[in-house]
Amino acid sequence: MSDEFKWTNAAYHTMTNTAINQLMILHSLKENVYNEEFKREADNQRRVIEGNEPLESGKLSSIETYITAFEQQGWTKRIETNGEEIFNFTPAGEQVIALLTHAPDYLKFLPYFIVEVISRYKQDNPSQRRRNNEPTEIFPYWTFYKIIINCEGYISEDEFRRFLVKMTDRSSIDEVISTIKEYREDLTFLDENSIDEKYGDKINDTKARPLYFMHKVGLGVGKFENIQAGVILKDGKCPLNTPIYRLNENYSDFINYIVENEPSNLSDTITQNDWFAYQGASVKLREDSILEDDDRIWIDIKNLVESGLKSIILSGPPGTSKTWYAKQLALKLTEGDENKIDSIQFHPSYSYEDFVEGFIPNVEEGPNFIPKRKIFAQICDRALLNPYERFVLIIDEFNRGDISKILGELMTYIEDDYRGVPFKLPYSEDELIIPENLIILGSMNPYDKSVTEFDIALMRRFNIYEMNPDENILETILDRNAMEASLKRDLIKFFVNIQEFFDVGLGHAFFKNAKTEDDLKRIWKYQLSPIFSKEFKYDPEKLERVTELYPWRE
């Protein structure tokens, strides 16, 4: 650690009413050239909102600092294009605008959103306008979360100034955690001079003050009416009479999840565009399911889950909405929280190493390989940290992979009776538990002759829910598409009649985007006609009868 190094951060709050007003103003000015005229306009609009007169000249108040603060949050960006700097919002910035303008319903997601985006921030990056002399590989906000979660859930201002802001590399995190614990023990019997002598002076520079930093890591969100309290709480003082900042226990599980997903090392040559794409990427948020509470399939699946079944396969021929229903059911089961849903698709080359645990290059200490937990193990870990909330893993095309090869020892522990039982993974020898609150929703076409047969052993572990062509679902789709009544009636008549010609049925999802006669002609030309020609290539008479049933052929 260097005694001179400081974690620089813009000295402005981003969650005050003034800051939110400024953010909304900047959103109305996005995609414009960033120059003095732009800054004057943004500054004056805020002055007017605050009841002051606009200024045509003179010193601008704080617009530059606000924009720097919003950039550090990952919400805005300034990109040079054709010799001019253009101001714009990142996808994450568009999300925060949506969250703030859809209050109060969506505000409860704001703390999680802020934590996830700010954790991506790297101290040295192409957008950093004021750089330190000493280069750093530190992700300061993620590092803070890692340290606070491992230091009894709190950090004092003295610890922040004395230890955290001097860090330049993630490799020193464990050392700093150990030092803070020793320091706290010494505080019980050493005076401040002795502490300084043993641990070095704290940095007293104004920029090392934790106040603005703490607002960025979640202290500020507690100001909103619909949020019970911030992610970080100000909680008394330490023995050296400096404030203590404590992690709100309600967010502990989420912070653990953030800490476990360590930020990736970024290339030293990363461009400004690539940096903003990384830092400002959108976050999975809430998405309401469009299924009604009285939807028959939702009621059936809900009853299965509530009866204790945790592994369900939606099985049916092509076009029966299996994949669509899997996503909608997952949203209903998680109450719309996409952070509790993961999706994967099996295929013939998919393996255990892709699904559960595999080796990856060790980029930090190479040349060698280290085991890494993959999507299934990761969602198990997250669900285990949140035992009272449902998590859902969607596995599309379940029987297209070699199931035994992909699942390995999971074939035993995925059973409902073995949930919660720890077992060792083969490569790392780390423990994995498949928790009770993880629901597996798969989809498969059992009639596809090119894929794995679902044997009795698999059927015992997975509950098969049959999904067949359904005229009621088709009618719901067409009503949603606002199809004209007579056209809808004729299409449903065709759909019912065509089923007798197919052993497995023709799915309703072929018509999911049908609104007009032109749509039905397109569906015939590019989908139905090729399917019918293949299905009945050895029965020309039946092909002719089927073709005549469809009124919108060309």
Side-chain angles (χ1 to χ4, degrees), residues 480-529:
R480 195 179 296 138
N481 292 349
M483 180 178 277
E484 188 266 325
S486 63
L487 191 62
K488 181 180 76 171
R489 183 184 63 247
D490 291 343
L491 179 55
I492 291 174
K493 180 181 177 181
F494 160 79
F495 181 77
V496 172
N497 291 335
I498 198 67
Q499 303 307 326
E500 65 181 85
F501 292 91
F502 282 84
D503 292 336
V504 300
L506 181 74
H508 42 264
F510 283 102
F511 305 99
K512 65 182 180 181
N513 296 316
K515 299 179 182 179
T516 65
E517 280 197 37
D518 286 341
D519 292 332
L520 295 177
K521 289 177 181 178
R522 174 183 48 77
I523 291 167
W524 170 262
K525 182 175 181 179
Y526 297 108
Q527 291 184 284
L528 298 185
S529 180

Side-chain angles (χ1 to χ4, degrees), residues 367-378:
N368 58 13
F369 290 83
I370 54 174
K372 178 176 173 59
R373 293 161 93 88
K374 297 300 182 71
I375 186 169
F376 183 79
Q378 289 172 7

Side-chain angles (χ1 to χ4, degrees), residues 115-313:
V115 168
E116 185 159 341
V117 177
I118 199 68
S119 296
R120 303 169 185 163
Y121 182 78
K122 186 173 183 284
Q123 184 67 59
D124 280 357
N125 67 74
S127 76
Q128 187 73 4
R129 303 197 174 221
R130 291 189 298 272
R131 295 182 178 273
N132 297 286
N133 294 328
E134 185 175 348
T136 171
E137 289 299 316
I138 204 78
F139 289 76
Y141 301 102
W142 179 87
T143 298
F144 169 80
Y145 291 129
K146 172 132 187 180
I147 290 175
I148 197 171
I149 207 80
N150 285 283
C151 288
E152 301 179 65
Y154 74 91
I155 289 291
S156 71
E157 178 172 328
D158 189 77
E159 292 164 351
F160 184 84
R161 289 177 177 269
R162 197 181 294 272
F163 304 116
L164 272 68
V165 296
K166 298 178 182 180
M167 296 175 65
T168 61
D169 198 289
R170 277 184 286 181
S171 63
S172 63
I173 290 176
D174 290 341
E175 177 193 345
V176 169
I177 290 170
S178 177
T179 301
I180 288 174
K181 290 177 179 178
E182 182 182 346
Y183 157 89
R184 288 177 181 176
E185 291 180 8
D186 288 346
L187 273 181
T188 60
F189 60 88
L190 292 180
D191 59 24
E192 188 168 0
N193 289 334
S194 300
I195 289 288
D196 289 343
E197 187 176 335
K198 180 173 181 179
Y199 294 100
D201 294 335
K202 59 180 176 286
I203 296 177
N204 287 312
D205 191 288
T206 302
K207 290 177 184 175
R209 289 178 61 208
L211 182 61
Y212 298 118
F213 185 95
M214 295 300 169
H215 273 265
K216 289 186 177 68
V217 292
L219 182 69
V221 293
K223 296 177 178 293
F224 289 91
E225 291 181 10
N226 296 86
I227 299 172
Q228 285 187 325
V231 178
I232 302 297
L233 308 172
K234 209 168 180 180
D235 185 28
K237 295 192 175 182
C238 75
L240 294 181
N241 203 35
T242 64
I244 286 174
Y245 296 93
R246 186 175 297 279
L247 174 64
N248 184 340
E249 290 183 357
N250 293 326
Y251 296 100
S252 293
D253 289 343
F254 181 68
I255 297 300
N256 267 313
Y257 163 67
I258 291 294
V259 166
E260 286 176 3
N261 288 272
E262 186 170 351
S264 302
N265 282 327
L266 302 175
S267 168
D268 292 336
T269 59
I270 187 173
T271 66
Q272 192 178 56
N273 277 341
D274 288 341
W275 164 253
F276 283 124
Y278 162 80
Q279 162 77 348
S282 60
V283 174
K284 277 187 177 181
L285 293 172
R286 175 188 172 118
E287 179 185 340
D288 290 325
S289 171
I290 64 174
L291 292 182
E292 300 292 342
D293 288 339
D294 61 355
D295 183 276
R296 175 180 55 81
I297 295 174
W298 159 242
I299 292 171
D300 290 346
I301 298 299
K302 178 172 173 279
N303 289 338
L304 287 174
V305 170
E306 290 179 350
S307 71
L309 301 181
K310 301 171 182 67
S311 302
I312 301 166
I313 303 291

Side-chain angles (χ1 to χ4, degrees), residues 28-85:
S28 71
L29 298 173
K30 67 179 183 177
E31 300 178 358
N32 282 306
V33 175
Y34 183 78
N35 53 22
E36 289 302 311
E37 184 181 345
F38 176 99
K39 289 187 279 188
R40 177 71 62 188
E41 176 64 21
D43 203 52
N44 277 336
Q45 284 194 32
R46 182 172 58 79
R47 288 179 61 83
V48 170
I49 288 174
E50 293 171 352
N52 299 313
E53 290 292 322
L55 299 175
E56 292 184 8
S57 60
K59 185 179 179 182
L60 294 166
S61 54
S62 52
I63 184 64
E64 187 88 35
T65 308
Y66 271 124
I67 288 174
T68 301
F70 295 143
E71 276 186 4
Q72 287 185 2
Q73 295 277 173
W75 300 346
T76 65
K77 59 183 179 180
R78 288 169 281 180
I79 294 287
E80 189 160 322
T81 306
N82 298 325
E84 293 182 314
E85 202 169 27

